[in-house]
Amino acid sequence: GHAFDGNTNTPLDSVKVVWMVAGVKDSVTATADDGYLIKDLPQGDYSIWCSKANYTTVVTNIAIQNTDISTTTVRGGENKEQVITYNPNLYPLNAGLHGRLYKNENGINIPIAGATVQIDYNGVYRDDEESYRFVPNLYQATTDADGFYTFTNIPATRGEIRFLDYTDANGEVYSYSSGNNIYLQSGQNIAYQNIYMSRVTDQIRLTATNLWTAPNESNEDFAVADDITLTFNKNVNETNTTNLGYVYLENSAGALIASTITYTDNVITINPDEDLSENTWYRVRYDVYSDQEYDNTSSTITFRTVNNTVIPAQVTNFAINYNNMGTGWVADYNTNFIWFQIDVLSTADYYEIFAKDSYSNSEYVKIGTANQPDYLQGTLSFGASLPGQFDYFTDDGVQTPFSYGTTVSYKVRAVNSVGAGPFSNVVTVKDETAFNSGDMNILGQDVSADNSGGTSDITVTFDFIISNGQYADVSHTPIVKLFNGATEITPLTTTFTWDTHQHATITLTVPAGSDYSSYQLRVYDVNDSSGNTMDPADYESQNLF
């Protein structure tokens, strides 16, 4: 389409056309000659914004249906694209309007200072082809000390002028019965007729609410399950309030609280969808209307709910969660993260996890927290990692909190706004995983084990390595055996000497005239640093050469 000056019907140049659908936003620029074209659009509900410097910004919604984007076959087999045409009218921001407001006191007209005058461009009836809205749509001015108001640089088109209710220094309310449609001319500053506001005998106002303990004194002990009632001196017009005003409940951060709002004569009832939280500040905001046009009242009421919170009880059934860790799970030397579980406490906001060990952390240290979702019932699962201070060997670059039989003790407690409850039972964890053949290596054979042509015994030396960063119990000597197939060679002369907790030297004596090459050397019964003994059937082996 093209963008036009709404008054002269002249095509406009340099008009920015922005479209949005399903979170996607893009724009094109319309020119006076070629207009604009947006292609390859999917179906959906579009919001179209058209703007140009010194003109109104207009917004419209366009729904593109399947029928709009489907194609039809024309002669020759080609497809004909379906096109939606939208020609927005923009209006120059070069109109002006001025006037004067009075209040009538016992037949005397007195200029009103500080009254609010509005021009609303979206409330005016428009033709179908002009089913758009202005952004901004509402312009506002305030009368000066002599009752004069002035609008400048506003859209040169039809609008509705309104004179809002005015309250003087004595608390008297004045109202003007209705707004009027106006037509503003491009480049002209129109003088509007004098307006005389009449006193409202009894403006709608809030007379009672259970959010007060006394008039205008906030309730700070409001029951969390109670409905909120607002009572006014007049019947509340639900339609006017819904269309022109609002009633809502929000928390102290401004987030809306889902509620059902009921209008019954002069009473509004707010029923929150869920009970409110204890010891929490909330506020009700309202702008309500009576049956009299422009007779409205607005305010904010702040209140706090009752505080029935007590310190949480002791956490129960604190244990390792084997559903997450795996059935039959036991800790190893380098275990750092463990899943636990507890029974949920309704009075808890969160839980604190503490740990100590039998090596260097003799006092409990808080190692983490676990939050409790409001909806959760039954069992809470959470994971806990040990910090770096839980490490037996700090110089090897690997955290090994359970080496050398170190036992780590865990406990938890519940916490809320009042304080922390007593600690749970203690769960102790230690290394219970023994070595297997994958944790060891025999290597570094120094000479051949073939002594068949020798006239004296020879000694063959091997390195025995503890791999994967683990540590062995050097006070325990493993068993060394030699096999020829399934046959164990006896007697056998060997030595097994630990050099460090990760390295040992094995020597094997090969008698003169014997050939042990191709035999298999086996090492059994290697204990880890926590004292865990290997499975008797497991061993580490190496074939000799």
Side-chain angles (χ1 to χ4, degrees):
H2 283 75
F4 293 90
D5 186 303
N7 290 325
T8 66
N9 204 32
T10 303
L12 295 175
D13 204 3
S14 301
V15 176
K16 186 174 182 180
V17 181
V18 178
W19 59 268
M20 291 184 292
V21 62
V24 177
K25 182 178 181 180
D26 207 344
S27 66
V28 296
T29 299
T31 65
D33 293 332
D34 299 324
Y36 70 97
L37 175 63
I38 307 173
K39 300 177 64 176
D40 300 325
L41 296 179
Q43 71 180 80
D45 294 325
Y46 286 74
S47 181
I48 311 294
W49 297 62
C50 301
S51 59
K52 176 179 172 63
N54 300 319
Y55 277 79
T56 57
T57 294
V58 297
V59 183
T60 193
N61 296 323
I62 296 178
I64 296 181
Q65 308 295 335
N66 275 326
T67 54
D68 295 325
I69 63 175
S70 64
T71 57
T72 58
T73 303
V74 298
R75 182 175 300 175
E78 297 179 353
N79 288 332
K80 180 180 179 182
E81 184 178 12
Q82 303 298 307
V83 177
I84 294 177
T85 300
Y86 170 54
N87 297 320
N89 288 328
L90 279 65
Y91 294 87
L93 298 174
N94 63 355
L97 182 141
H98 60 276
R100 196 176 192 186
L101 260 65
Y102 297 87
K103 63 178 179 178
N104 187 282
E105 289 280 11
N106 300 320
I108 300 174
N109 294 322
I110 303 171
I112 298 177
T116 300
V117 184
Q118 295 178 340
I119 299 180
D120 183 359
Y121 287 89
N122 284 356
V124 179
Y125 171 81
R126 299 188 180 279
D127 298 331
D128 290 341
E129 64 269 25
E130 294 182 334
S131 58
Y132 53 79
R133 60 189 185 277
F134 287 172
V135 177
N137 70 294
L138 194 67
Y139 293 78
Q140 186 165 291
T142 303
T143 57
D144 63 16
D146 296 318
F148 291 103
Y149 63 89
T150 302
F151 292 89
T152 59
N153 298 323
I154 57 177
T157 185
R158 287 172 294 176
E160 181 183 23
I161 187 168
R162 298 173 183 163
F163 305 91
L164 303 191
D165 289 357
Y166 168 78
T167 303
D168 66 12
N170 298 320
E172 295 290 342
V173 179
Y174 294 83
S175 177
Y176 185 70
S177 60
S178 64
N180 293 312
N181 291 341
I182 57 173
Y183 195 97
L184 301 177
Q185 301 293 326
S186 178
Q188 295 185 9
N189 190 336
I190 298 174
Y192 195 70
Q193 63 184 354
N194 292 337
I195 297 297
Y196 303 92
M197 303 186 76
S198 302
R199 177 161 36 183
V200 178
T201 56
D202 192 11
Q203 183 183 17
I204 187 172
R205 66 181 184 278
L206 182 70
T207 58
T209 175
N210 57 352
L211 301 180
W212 290 340
T213 55
N216 298 312
E217 293 186 11
S218 294
N219 187 345
E220 296 189 11
D221 200 25
F222 189 81
V224 296
D226 282 0
D227 291 347
I228 297 167
T229 58
L230 306 174
T231 303
F232 297 86
N233 63 321
K234 295 181 181 180
N235 288 348
V236 178
N237 187 307
E238 179 178 355
T239 300
N240 284 347
T241 299
T242 302
N243 293 338
L244 302 175
Y246 51 80
V247 177
Y248 54 82
L249 171 65
E250 64 183 19
N251 61 22
S252 58
L256 293 180
I257 306 301
S259 305
T260 300
I261 300 175
T262 305
Y263 298 79
T264 307
D265 297 330
N266 66 328
V267 177
I268 296 177
T269 302
I270 304 173
N271 177 16
D273 291 354
E274 297 181 357
D275 287 353
L276 302 179
S277 299
E278 291 187 351
N279 194 31
T280 303
W281 284 100
Y282 293 91
R283 53 179 173 248
V284 169
R285 295 186 183 274
Y286 65 85
D287 182 9
V288 302
Y289 285 73
S290 71
D291 293 328
Q292 181 182 355
E293 191 171 10
Y294 300 119
D295 180 20
N296 72 303
T297 182
S298 61
S299 187
T300 299
I301 306 173
T302 302
F303 66 99
R304 184 171 63 184
T305 52
V306 65
N307 184 8
N308 291 325
T309 306
V310 296
I311 292 177
Q314 184 181 35
V315 173
T316 57
N317 293 327
F318 175 47
I320 295 172
N321 186 328
Y322 289 102
N323 287 330
N324 290 352
M325 296 304 296
T327 302
W329 173 86
V330 292
D332 202 353
Y333 73 107
N334 61 348
T335 296
N336 182 52
F337 180 86
I338 301 176
W339 279 99
F340 295 98
Q341 65 184 36
I342 57 174
D343 287 347
V344 167
L345 286 173
S346 60
T347 55
D349 292 336
Y350 62 93
Y351 301 87
E352 295 178 330
I353 306 106
F354 290 78
K356 70 174 183 177
D357 64 25
S358 58
Y359 176 52
S360 60
N361 298 282
S362 58
E363 300 294 330
Y364 277 102
V365 177
K366 189 173 85 168
I367 63 172
T369 59
N371 293 324
Q372 176 171 296
D374 293 338
Y375 60 82
L376 188 64
Q377 297 180 352
T379 301
L380 172 66
S381 297
F382 56 88
S385 298
L386 291 170
Q389 68 192 76
F390 287 81
D391 188 10
Y392 197 93
F393 295 102
T394 58
D395 59 350
D396 60 357
V398 180
Q399 187 177 4
T400 56
F402 292 96
S403 292
Y404 278 85
T406 301
T407 298
V408 179
S409 301
Y410 298 84
K411 63 181 181 179
V412 297
R413 66 183 181 184
V415 183
N416 62 19
S417 60
V418 178
F423 281 105
S424 67
N425 59 292
V426 174
V427 172
T428 58
V429 181
K430 63 180 181 178
D431 178 4
E432 298 181 72
T433 303
F435 285 147
N436 58 51
S437 60
D439 298 322
M440 300 168 286
N441 284 291
I442 303 172
L443 45 83
Q445 181 180 341
D446 62 341
V447 296
S448 174
D450 183 0
N451 194 22
S452 58
T455 58
S456 61
D457 296 350
I458 62 172
T459 299
V460 182
T461 303
F462 306 85
D463 291 322
F464 184 79
I465 306 297
I466 302 298
S467 59
N468 299 330
Q470 301 205 58
Y471 304 95
D473 179 2
V474 298
S475 67
H476 178 77
T477 302
I479 299 171
V480 181
K481 295 182 180 183
L482 185 66
F483 283 83
N484 180 13
T487 304
E488 182 180 357
I489 306 303
T490 58
L492 185 69
T493 302
T494 62
T495 61
F496 188 103
T497 304
W498 286 109
D499 302 310
T500 68
H501 52 255
Q502 291 181 314
H503 181 270
T505 301
I506 303 173
T507 63
L508 169 66
T509 300
V510 181
S514 298
D515 181 5
Y516 286 173
S517 64
S518 77
Y519 287 13
Q520 189 178 73
L521 187 71
R522 300 180 183 176
V523 178
Y524 297 79
D525 193 28
V526 183
N527 286 1
D528 69 7
S529 65
S530 297
N532 295 306
T533 303
M534 290 176 61
D535 187 321
D538 198 9
Y539 57 85
E540 175 62 17
S541 64
Q542 177 66 36
N543 292 328
L544 307 186
F545 64 84

